[in-house]
Amino acid sequence: DLDKVMGVCSLHGVEVVEDCADSAGVLWAGRHVGHHGRVCCLSAERRTMLSAGEGRGAFVLTDDASVASHVGSMVGSQQGAQTYGRGDTGVWSNMSMRSTFEIPGHLSLPSQRGGEDYGMQMSNVAAAIIRPQIASVNSRIYEVNKRYARFCERFLQRVGSGLIGRVGLYVPVTLPHVRPVRNSVQFSTNLGSAEAEHLLRSARSHGVPLEILSTPSTSLNPSQT
């Protein structure tokens, strides 16, 4: 409940950074997800509504000049760090952590100690691919939501109530004040590992790119999901 989250954070003076990785275009009570906090982060991967292709990174949106200055100073830092290194102190060179984008009167990100990764994968080409997509977001959301509703209806009819009960199949229900973006179909089951692998193989043999997002043993380890 974003309204409750923002109310609690405001009460305690907590700054909110919204991780909206796959939620571009989602509305909460008529307002875009990502417009509630000070900053929001969006993915540009192939399955999102603003896609630049596989491995094309992400981007940050904010109307705060200080935050924009800090983010700008991170651009290209990964390449710079590889070029200039950390030296004997274990601290990244200032040159490796800065960019030409700075706003007068606002501090840029200082040099970081080893271990933090501020590298940016998005290129000018990837950004140029994304920008024209913004104008057509609403029409594409309409189409994907219509396709999702049609798919779910046929999917549940095909599976049947008996099987749904046996495997614990559950398709998430959207809250009434949320305008979703159904650019993927997600469901949960209580299948064991062997049954899940069989389902994956069967789906892929029919050309359906089904993936396991998480299991009880991998839900805290994104690299395995």
Side-chain angles (χ1 to χ4, degrees), residues 22-143:
D22 299 326
S23 302
V26 174
L27 301 181
W28 175 273
R31 188 180 182 190
H32 276 284
V33 170
H35 289 197
H36 297 74
R38 189 177 181 188
V39 184
C40 74
C41 308
L42 292 159
S43 172
E45 293 295 319
R46 60 184 173 85
R47 288 177 291 189
T48 64
M49 295 302 294
L50 298 173
S51 172
E54 190 67 34
R56 295 297 182 180
F59 54 97
V60 170
L61 297 179
T62 182
D63 55 7
D64 186 295
S66 178
V67 172
S69 177
H70 280 71
V71 172
S73 68
M74 300 177 193
V75 176
S77 63
Q78 188 176 49
Q79 291 78 11
Q82 292 171 348
T83 302
Y84 298 105
R86 288 179 287 175
D88 297 331
T89 62
V91 178
W92 294 113
S93 162
N94 281 337
M95 188 178 297
S96 71
M97 299 303 295
R98 296 180 184 279
S99 170
T100 56
F101 175 64
E102 294 184 9
I103 298 178
H106 295 276
L107 294 176
S108 293
L109 187 75
S111 58
Q112 299 293 309
R113 295 191 176 276
E116 294 93 343
D117 180 7
Y118 290 101
M120 300 294 175
Q121 294 174 302
M122 185 177 292
S123 65
N124 289 337
V125 172
I129 293 172
I130 291 172
R131 290 190 65 177
Q133 298 177 46
I134 296 173
S136 63
V137 163
N138 283 329
S139 61
R140 288 186 289 117
I141 288 174
Y142 173 79
E143 290 299 326

